């Protein structure tokens, strides 16, 4: 199963649902539809209405983040995994580089993953090296640390997806070379197998994916799908990515 996940970040109002509706209409008729899953992570404000609209359809809804506590607490503006699940989401991103740069620590990420899974949300756990790590040839060690600090065998690997998003690639138009990305994905899967045993959870790539460069990414068989930011705000651009992936 492949994944195409659209991360809207701070984008969208109720009527933006027409973007998802167009993607849904495409998916309904796509001969390849059984091969992949489409998930969108709109802002918190839209999760409930979008999840209701797509309840019996194929598009799944997730949140972009969750708070590191279980249900209710006295943290102003915080939204817990329990609250997210209760309004119909099935997934949550955890550890997106935007949130890491805003202060997500390993201890917080560990709790986020734990409580999200406890509340039956599947977790898309984001990792990625920054420009300086890459320049210093630290990519592999940084990714290893990000994985082993948070993920552990007792977690349900069937509910975990890892998204590899080099920070220097997010929103910049810059992407890794095919060889680089293949080696890195294999490295990530090797670590995941060490943590979880035989079969690795799915590993996605994220960072400036578009309808054009996906033709290169599709040649890397180790990649199980994509986390798509900018291009997910346009139905046409998002659909082009899927079309060109299966072309
Ligand atoms: C992201 O923010 O997760 C992302 C991949 O963004 P973009 O596709 O715009 O690089």
């Amino acid at each position: 199963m492949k994944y195409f996940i659209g991360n809207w970040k701070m984008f969208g109002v109720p009527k933006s649902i027409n973007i998802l509706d167009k993607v849904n209409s495409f998916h309904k008729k796509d001969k390849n539809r059984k091969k992949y899953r489409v998930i969108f992570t709109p802002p918190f404000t839209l999760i409930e209405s979008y999840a209701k609209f797509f309840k019996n359809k194929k598009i799944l809804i997730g949140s972009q983040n969750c708070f590191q506590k279980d249900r209710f607490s006295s943290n102003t503006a915080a939204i817990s995994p329990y609250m997210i699940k209760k309004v119909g989401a099935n997934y949550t991103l955890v550890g997106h580089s935007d949130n890491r740069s805003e202060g997500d620590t390993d201890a917080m990420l560990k709790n986020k993953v734990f409580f999200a899974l406890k509340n039956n949300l599947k977790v898309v756990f984001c990792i990625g090296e920054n420009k300086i790590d890459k320049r210093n040839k630290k990519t592999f060690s940084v990714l290893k640390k990000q994985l082993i600090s948070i993920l552990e065998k007792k977690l349900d690997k069937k509910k975990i997806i890892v998204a590899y998003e080099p920070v220097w690639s997010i929103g910049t138009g810059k992407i890794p070379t095919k060889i680089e990305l293949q080696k890195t994905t294999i490295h990530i899967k090797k670590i995941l197998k060490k943590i979880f045993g035989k079969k690795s959870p799915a590993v996605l790539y994220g960072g400036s994916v578009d309808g054009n460069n996906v033709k290169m990414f599709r040649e890397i068989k180790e990649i199980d799908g994509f986390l798509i930011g900018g291009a997910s705000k346009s139905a046409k651009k998002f659909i082009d990515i899927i079309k060109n992936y299966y072309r």
Side-chain angles (χ1 to χ4, degrees), residues 103-121:
D104 265 9
T105 62
D106 281 352
M108 286 158 70
L109 293 174
K110 234 183 149 89
N111 284 329
K112 288 180 185 204
V113 170
F114 179 81
F115 288 123
L117 293 172
K118 180 169 179 253
N119 284 284
N120 241 333
L121 288 170

mmCIF file with all atom_site columns, all heavy atoms in Angstrom, residues 103-121:
data_model
loop_
_atom_site.group_PDB
_atom_site.id
_atom_site.type_symbol
_atom_site.label_atom_id
_atom_site.label_alt_id
_atom_site.label_comp_id
_atom_site.label_asym_id
_atom_site.label_entity_id
_atom_site.label_seq_id
_atom_site.pdbx_PDB_ins_code
_atom_site.Cartn_x
_atom_site.Cartn_y
_atom_site.Cartn_z
_atom_site.occupancy
_atom_site.B_iso_or_equiv
_atom_site.pdbx_formal_charge
_atom_site.auth_seq_id
_atom_site.auth_comp_id
_atom_site.auth_asym_id
_atom_site.auth_atom_id
_atom_site.pdbx_PDB_model_num
ATOM 1   N N   . GLY A 1 103 ? 10.048 23.907 19.255 1.00 0.00 ? 103 GLY A N   1
ATOM 2   C CA  . GLY A 1 103 ? 10.339 23.474 20.622 1.00 0.00 ? 103 GLY A CA  1
ATOM 3   C C   . GLY A 1 103 ? 9.955  22.054 21.003 1.00 0.00 ? 103 GLY A C   1
ATOM 4   O O   . GLY A 1 103 ? 10.099 21.671 22.164 1.00 0.00 ? 103 GLY A O   1
ATOM 5   N N   . ASP A 1 104 ? 9.452  21.251 20.072 1.00 0.00 ? 104 ASP A N   1
ATOM 6   C CA  . ASP A 1 104 ? 9.155  19.847 20.393 1.00 0.00 ? 104 ASP A CA  1
ATOM 7   C C   . ASP A 1 104 ? 10.433 19.132 20.839 1.00 0.00 ? 104 ASP A C   1
ATOM 8   O O   . ASP A 1 104 ? 11.395 19.035 20.063 1.00 0.00 ? 104 ASP A O   1
ATOM 9   C CB  . ASP A 1 104 ? 8.631  19.120 19.142 1.00 0.00 ? 104 ASP A CB  1
ATOM 10  C CG  . ASP A 1 104 ? 7.118  19.109 19.071 1.00 0.00 ? 104 ASP A CG  1
ATOM 11  O OD1 . ASP A 1 104 ? 6.479  19.794 19.891 1.00 0.00 ? 104 ASP A OD1 1
ATOM 12  O OD2 . ASP A 1 104 ? 6.584  18.412 18.186 1.00 0.00 ? 104 ASP A OD2 1
ATOM 13  N N   . THR A 1 105 ? 10.449 18.643 22.051 1.00 0.00 ? 105 THR A N   1
ATOM 14  C CA  . THR A 1 105 ? 11.624 17.891 22.530 1.00 0.00 ? 105 THR A CA  1
ATOM 15  C C   . THR A 1 105 ? 11.361 16.394 22.358 1.00 0.00 ? 105 THR A C   1
ATOM 16  O O   . THR A 1 105 ? 10.217 15.988 22.114 1.00 0.00 ? 105 THR A O   1
ATOM 17  C CB  . THR A 1 105 ? 11.854 18.152 24.030 1.00 0.00 ? 105 THR A CB  1
ATOM 18  O OG1 . THR A 1 105 ? 10.681 17.680 24.726 1.00 0.00 ? 105 THR A OG1 1
ATOM 19  C CG2 . THR A 1 105 ? 12.075 19.628 24.317 1.00 0.00 ? 105 THR A CG2 1
ATOM 20  N N   . ASP A 1 106 ? 12.404 15.587 22.561 1.00 0.00 ? 106 ASP A N   1
ATOM 21  C CA  . ASP A 1 106 ? 12.213 14.138 22.466 1.00 0.00 ? 106 ASP A CA  1
ATOM 22  C C   . ASP A 1 106 ? 11.180 13.656 23.481 1.00 0.00 ? 106 ASP A C   1
ATOM 23  O O   . ASP A 1 106 ? 10.356 12.787 23.172 1.00 0.00 ? 106 ASP A O   1
ATOM 24  C CB  . ASP A 1 106 ? 13.549 13.411 22.700 1.00 0.00 ? 106 ASP A CB  1
ATOM 25  C CG  . ASP A 1 106 ? 14.420 13.431 21.446 1.00 0.00 ? 106 ASP A CG  1
ATOM 26  O OD1 . ASP A 1 106 ? 13.922 13.868 20.385 1.00 0.00 ? 106 ASP A OD1 1
ATOM 27  O OD2 . ASP A 1 106 ? 15.583 13.009 21.541 1.00 0.00 ? 106 ASP A OD2 1
ATOM 28  N N   . ALA A 1 107 ? 11.239 14.214 24.699 1.00 0.00 ? 107 ALA A N   1
ATOM 29  C CA  . ALA A 1 107 ? 10.282 13.780 25.736 1.00 0.00 ? 107 ALA A CA  1
ATOM 30  C C   . ALA A 1 107 ? 8.848  14.091 25.290 1.00 0.00 ? 107 ALA A C   1
ATOM 31  O O   . ALA A 1 107 ? 7.939  13.263 25.448 1.00 0.00 ? 107 ALA A O   1
ATOM 32  C CB  . ALA A 1 107 ? 10.598 14.485 27.047 1.00 0.00 ? 107 ALA A CB  1
ATOM 33  N N   . MET A 1 108 ? 8.656  15.264 24.692 1.00 0.00 ? 108 MET A N   1
ATOM 34  C CA  . MET A 1 108 ? 7.317  15.613 24.205 1.00 0.00 ? 108 MET A CA  1
ATOM 35  C C   . MET A 1 108 ? 6.889  14.696 23.062 1.00 0.00 ? 108 MET A C   1
ATOM 36  O O   . MET A 1 108 ? 5.756  14.213 23.017 1.00 0.00 ? 108 MET A O   1
ATOM 37  C CB  . MET A 1 108 ? 7.311  17.076 23.726 1.00 0.00 ? 108 MET A CB  1
ATOM 38  C CG  . MET A 1 108 ? 7.344  18.087 24.865 1.00 0.00 ? 108 MET A CG  1
ATOM 39  S SD  . MET A 1 108 ? 7.963  19.703 24.324 1.00 0.00 ? 108 MET A SD  1
ATOM 40  C CE  . MET A 1 108 ? 6.627  20.271 23.291 1.00 0.00 ? 108 MET A CE  1
ATOM 41  N N   . LEU A 1 109 ? 7.823  14.433 22.155 1.00 0.00 ? 109 LEU A N   1
ATOM 42  C CA  . LEU A 1 109 ? 7.487  13.592 20.997 1.00 0.00 ? 109 LEU A CA  1
ATOM 43  C C   . LEU A 1 109 ? 7.127  12.174 21.435 1.00 0.00 ? 109 LEU A C   1
ATOM 44  O O   . LEU A 1 109 ? 6.213  11.555 20.893 1.00 0.00 ? 109 LEU A O   1
ATOM 45  C CB  . LEU A 1 109 ? 8.654  13.557 20.003 1.00 0.00 ? 109 LEU A CB  1
ATOM 46  C CG  . LEU A 1 109 ? 8.961  14.891 19.307 1.00 0.00 ? 109 LEU A CG  1
ATOM 47  C CD1 . LEU A 1 109 ? 10.220 14.776 18.459 1.00 0.00 ? 109 LEU A CD1 1
ATOM 48  C CD2 . LEU A 1 109 ? 7.787  15.331 18.440 1.00 0.00 ? 109 LEU A CD2 1
ATOM 49  N N   . LYS A 1 110 ? 7.845  11.695 22.420 1.00 0.00 ? 110 LYS A N   1
ATOM 50  C CA  . LYS A 1 110 ? 7.570  10.345 22.925 1.00 0.00 ? 110 LYS A CA  1
ATOM 51  C C   . LYS A 1 110 ? 6.142  10.266 23.467 1.00 0.00 ? 110 LYS A C   1
ATOM 52  O O   . LYS A 1 110 ? 5.400  9.327  23.189 1.00 0.00 ? 110 LYS A O   1
ATOM 53  C CB  . LYS A 1 110 ? 8.553  10.032 24.057 1.00 0.00 ? 110 LYS A CB  1
ATOM 54  C CG  . LYS A 1 110 ? 9.315  8.749  23.838 1.00 0.00 ? 110 LYS A CG  1
ATOM 55  C CD  . LYS A 1 110 ? 10.219 8.434  25.007 1.00 0.00 ? 110 LYS A CD  1
ATOM 56  C CE  . LYS A 1 110 ? 10.325 6.956  25.129 1.00 0.00 ? 110 LYS A CE  1
ATOM 57  N NZ  . LYS A 1 110 ? 11.342 6.303  24.404 1.00 0.00 ? 110 LYS A NZ  1
ATOM 58  N N   . ASN A 1 111 ? 5.751  11.287 24.230 1.00 0.00 ? 111 ASN A N   1
ATOM 59  C CA  . ASN A 1 111 ? 4.391  11.306 24.779 1.00 0.00 ? 111 ASN A CA  1
ATOM 60  C C   . ASN A 1 111 ? 3.341  11.481 23.679 1.00 0.00 ? 111 ASN A C   1
ATOM 61  O O   . ASN A 1 111 ? 2.275  10.885 23.722 1.00 0.00 ? 111 ASN A O   1
ATOM 62  C CB  . ASN A 1 111 ? 4.256  12.415 25.824 1.00 0.00 ? 111 ASN A CB  1
ATOM 63  C CG  . ASN A 1 111 ? 4.924  12.013 27.124 1.00 0.00 ? 111 ASN A CG  1
ATOM 64  O OD1 . ASN A 1 111 ? 4.969  10.833 27.474 1.00 0.00 ? 111 ASN A OD1 1
ATOM 65  N ND2 . ASN A 1 111 ? 5.468  12.977 27.836 1.00 0.00 ? 111 ASN A ND2 1
ATOM 66  N N   . LYS A 1 112 ? 3.661  12.315 22.706 1.00 0.00 ? 112 LYS A N   1
ATOM 67  C CA  . LYS A 1 112 ? 2.711  12.518 21.607 1.00 0.00 ? 112 LYS A CA  1
ATOM 68  C C   . LYS A 1 112 ? 2.436  11.194 20.892 1.00 0.00 ? 112 LYS A C   1
ATOM 69  O O   . LYS A 1 112 ? 1.292  10.838 20.618 1.00 0.00 ? 112 LYS A O   1
ATOM 70  C CB  . LYS A 1 112 ? 3.249  13.541 20.604 1.00 0.00 ? 112 LYS A CB  1
ATOM 71  C CG  . LYS A 1 112 ? 3.224  14.964 21.133 1.00 0.00 ? 112 LYS A CG  1
ATOM 72  C CD  . LYS A 1 112 ? 3.757  15.951 20.100 1.00 0.00 ? 112 LYS A CD  1
ATOM 73  C CE  . LYS A 1 112 ? 3.831  17.330 20.735 1.00 0.00 ? 112 LYS A CE  1
ATOM 74  N NZ  . LYS A 1 112 ? 3.777  18.422 19.785 1.00 0.00 ? 112 LYS A NZ  1
ATOM 75  N N   . VAL A 1 113 ? 3.522  10.474 20.570 1.00 0.00 ? 113 VAL A N   1
ATOM 76  C CA  . VAL A 1 113 ? 3.358  9.199  19.858 1.00 0.00 ? 113 VAL A CA  1
ATOM 77  C C   . VAL A 1 113 ? 2.564  8.228  20.734 1.00 0.00 ? 113 VAL A C   1
ATOM 78  O O   . VAL A 1 113 ? 1.599  7.594  20.284 1.00 0.00 ? 113 VAL A O   1
ATOM 79  C CB  . VAL A 1 113 ? 4.739  8.591  19.490 1.00 0.00 ? 113 VAL A CB  1
ATOM 80  C CG1 . VAL A 1 113 ? 4.585  7.163  18.974 1.00 0.00 ? 113 VAL A CG1 1
ATOM 81  C CG2 . VAL A 1 113 ? 5.432  9.463  18.445 1.00 0.00 ? 113 VAL A CG2 1
ATOM 82  N N   . PHE A 1 114 ? 2.950  8.147  21.991 1.00 0.00 ? 114 PHE A N   1
ATOM 83  C CA  . PHE A 1 114 ? 2.302  7.194  22.895 1.00 0.00 ? 114 PHE A CA  1
ATOM 84  C C   . PHE A 1 114 ? 0.799  7.481  23.030 1.00 0.00 ? 114 PHE A C   1
ATOM 85  O O   . PHE A 1 114 ? -0.040 6.585  22.873 1.00 0.00 ? 114 PHE A O   1
ATOM 86  C CB  . PHE A 1 114 ? 2.992  7.241  24.270 1.00 0.00 ? 114 PHE A CB  1
ATOM 87  C CG  . PHE A 1 114 ? 2.372  6.301  25.255 1.00 0.00 ? 114 PHE A CG  1
ATOM 88  C CD1 . PHE A 1 114 ? 2.701  4.946  25.240 1.00 0.00 ? 114 PHE A CD1 1
ATOM 89  C CD2 . PHE A 1 114 ? 1.436  6.745  26.187 1.00 0.00 ? 114 PHE A CD2 1
ATOM 90  C CE1 . PHE A 1 114 ? 2.113  4.065  26.139 1.00 0.00 ? 114 PHE A CE1 1
ATOM 91  C CE2 . PHE A 1 114 ? 0.838  5.864  27.086 1.00 0.00 ? 114 PHE A CE2 1
ATOM 92  C CZ  . PHE A 1 114 ? 1.185  4.524  27.066 1.00 0.00 ? 114 PHE A CZ  1
ATOM 93  N N   . PHE A 1 115 ? 0.453  8.741  23.308 1.00 0.00 ? 115 PHE A N   1
ATOM 94  C CA  . PHE A 1 115 ? -0.963 9.055  23.538 1.00 0.00 ? 115 PHE A CA  1
ATOM 95  C C   . PHE A 1 115 ? -1.774 9.039  22.242 1.00 0.00 ? 115 PHE A C   1
ATOM 96  O O   . PHE A 1 115 ? -2.963 8.726  22.264 1.00 0.00 ? 115 PHE A O   1
ATOM 97  C CB  . PHE A 1 115 ? -1.105 10.381 24.279 1.00 0.00 ? 115 PHE A CB  1
ATOM 98  C CG  . PHE A 1 115 ? -0.690 10.285 25.720 1.00 0.00 ? 115 PHE A CG  1
ATOM 99  C CD1 . PHE A 1 115 ? 0.306  11.107 26.234 1.00 0.00 ? 115 PHE A CD1 1
ATOM 100 C CD2 . PHE A 1 115 ? -1.278 9.347  26.566 1.00 0.00 ? 115 PHE A CD2 1
ATOM 101 C CE1 . PHE A 1 115 ? 0.690  11.002 27.562 1.00 0.00 ? 115 PHE A CE1 1
ATOM 102 C CE2 . PHE A 1 115 ? -0.902 9.237  27.897 1.00 0.00 ? 115 PHE A CE2 1
ATOM 103 C CZ  . PHE A 1 115 ? 0.097  10.062 28.399 1.00 0.00 ? 115 PHE A CZ  1
ATOM 104 N N   . ALA A 1 116 ? -1.141 9.367  21.136 1.00 0.00 ? 116 ALA A N   1
ATOM 105 C CA  . ALA A 1 116 ? -1.862 9.273  19.857 1.00 0.00 ? 116 ALA A CA  1
ATOM 106 C C   . ALA A 1 116 ? -2.243 7.813  19.596 1.00 0.00 ? 116 ALA A C   1
ATOM 107 O O   . ALA A 1 116 ? -3.403 7.503  19.306 1.00 0.00 ? 116 ALA A O   1
ATOM 108 C CB  . ALA A 1 116 ? -0.999 9.811  18.730 1.00 0.00 ? 116 ALA A CB  1
ATOM 109 N N   . LEU A 1 117 ? -1.282 6.916  19.761 1.00 0.00 ? 117 LEU A N   1
ATOM 110 C CA  . LEU A 1 117 ? -1.571 5.495  19.511 1.00 0.00 ? 117 LEU A CA  1
ATOM 111 C C   . LEU A 1 117 ? -2.603 4.970  20.514 1.00 0.00 ? 117 LEU A C   1
ATOM 112 O O   . LEU A 1 117 ? -3.505 4.217  20.152 1.00 0.00 ? 117 LEU A O   1
ATOM 113 C CB  . LEU A 1 117 ? -0.285 4.665  19.607 1.00 0.00 ? 117 LEU A CB  1
ATOM 114 C CG  . LEU A 1 117 ? 0.764  4.932  18.512 1.00 0.00 ? 117 LEU A CG  1
ATOM 115 C CD1 . LEU A 1 117 ? 2.065  4.210  18.826 1.00 0.00 ? 117 LEU A CD1 1
ATOM 116 C CD2 . LEU A 1 117 ? 0.245  4.507  17.143 1.00 0.00 ? 117 LEU A CD2 1
ATOM 117 N N   . LYS A 1 118 ? -2.469 5.407  21.756 1.00 0.00 ? 118 LYS A N   1
ATOM 118 C CA  . LYS A 1 118 ? -3.420 4.973  22.796 1.00 0.00 ? 118 LYS A CA  1
ATOM 119 C C   . LYS A 1 118 ? -4.852 5.363  22.418 1.00 0.00 ? 118 LYS A C   1
ATOM 120 O O   . LYS A 1 118 ? -5.804 4.643  22.712 1.00 0.00 ? 118 LYS A O   1
ATOM 121 C CB  . LYS A 1 118 ? -3.020 5.619  24.124 1.00 0.00 ? 118 LYS A CB  1
ATOM 122 C CG  . LYS A 1 118 ? -3.914 5.267  25.291 1.00 0.00 ? 118 LYS A CG  1
ATOM 123 C CD  . LYS A 1 118 ? -3.317 5.721  26.609 1.00 0.00 ? 118 LYS A CD  1
ATOM 124 C CE  . LYS A 1 118 ? -4.249 5.362  27.755 1.00 0.00 ? 118 LYS A CE  1
ATOM 125 N NZ  . LYS A 1 118 ? -4.932 6.515  28.306 1.00 0.00 ? 118 LYS A NZ  1
ATOM 126 N N   . ASN A 1 119 ? -4.991 6.492  21.751 1.00 0.00 ? 119 ASN A N   1
ATOM 127 C CA  . ASN A 1 119 ? -6.311 6.963  21.348 1.00 0.00 ? 119 ASN A CA  1
ATOM 128 C C   . ASN A 1 119 ? -6.698 6.521  19.941 1.00 0.00 ? 119 ASN A C   1
ATOM 129 O O   . ASN A 1 119 ? -7.589 7.100  19.310 1.00 0.00 ? 119 ASN A O   1
ATOM 130 C CB  . ASN A 1 119 ? -6.386 8.491  21.476 1.00 0.00 ? 119 ASN A CB  1
ATOM 131 C CG  . ASN A 1 119 ? -6.530 8.911  22.914 1.00 0.00 ? 119 ASN A CG  1
ATOM 132 O OD1 . ASN A 1 119 ? -7.607 8.789  23.494 1.00 0.00 ? 119 ASN A OD1 1
ATOM 133 N ND2 . ASN A 1 119 ? -5.437 9.351  23.536 1.00 0.00 ? 119 ASN A ND2 1
ATOM 134 N N   . ASN A 1 120 ? -5.970 5.518  19.463 1.00 0.00 ? 120 ASN A N   1
ATOM 135 C CA  . ASN A 1 120 ? -6.311 4.934  18.167 1.00 0.00 ? 120 ASN A CA  1
ATOM 136 C C   . ASN A 1 120 ? -6.116 5.843  16.966 1.00 0.00 ? 120 ASN A C   1
ATOM 137 O O   . ASN A 1 120 ? -6.828 5.729  15.972 1.00 0.00 ? 120 ASN A O   1
ATOM 138 C CB  . ASN A 1 120 ? -7.761 4.457  18.192 1.00 0.00 ? 120 ASN A CB  1
ATOM 139 C CG  . ASN A 1 120 ? -7.786 2.970  17.948 1.00 0.00 ? 120 ASN A CG  1
ATOM 140 O OD1 . ASN A 1 120 ? -6.863 2.441  17.301 1.00 0.00 ? 120 ASN A OD1 1
ATOM 141 N ND2 . ASN A 1 120 ? -8.800 2.302  18.456 1.00 0.00 ? 120 ASN A ND2 1
ATOM 142 N N   . LEU A 1 121 ? -5.169 6.747  17.080 1.00 0.00 ? 121 LEU A N   1
ATOM 143 C CA  . LEU A 1 121 ? -4.773 7.529  15.912 1.00 0.00 ? 121 LEU A CA  1
ATOM 144 C C   . LEU A 1 121 ? -3.532 6.868  15.338 1.00 0.00 ? 121 LEU A C   1
ATOM 145 O O   . LEU A 1 121 ? -2.632 6.485  16.094 1.00 0.00 ? 121 LEU A O   1
ATOM 146 C CB  . LEU A 1 121 ? -4.414 8.956  16.317 1.00 0.00 ? 121 LEU A CB  1
ATOM 147 C CG  . LEU A 1 121 ? -5.545 9.883  16.735 1.00 0.00 ? 121 LEU A CG  1
ATOM 148 C CD1 . LEU A 1 121 ? -4.972 11.165 17.344 1.00 0.00 ? 121 LEU A CD1 1
ATOM 149 C CD2 . LEU A 1 121 ? -6.451 10.222 15.553 1.00 0.00 ? 121 LEU A CD2 1
#
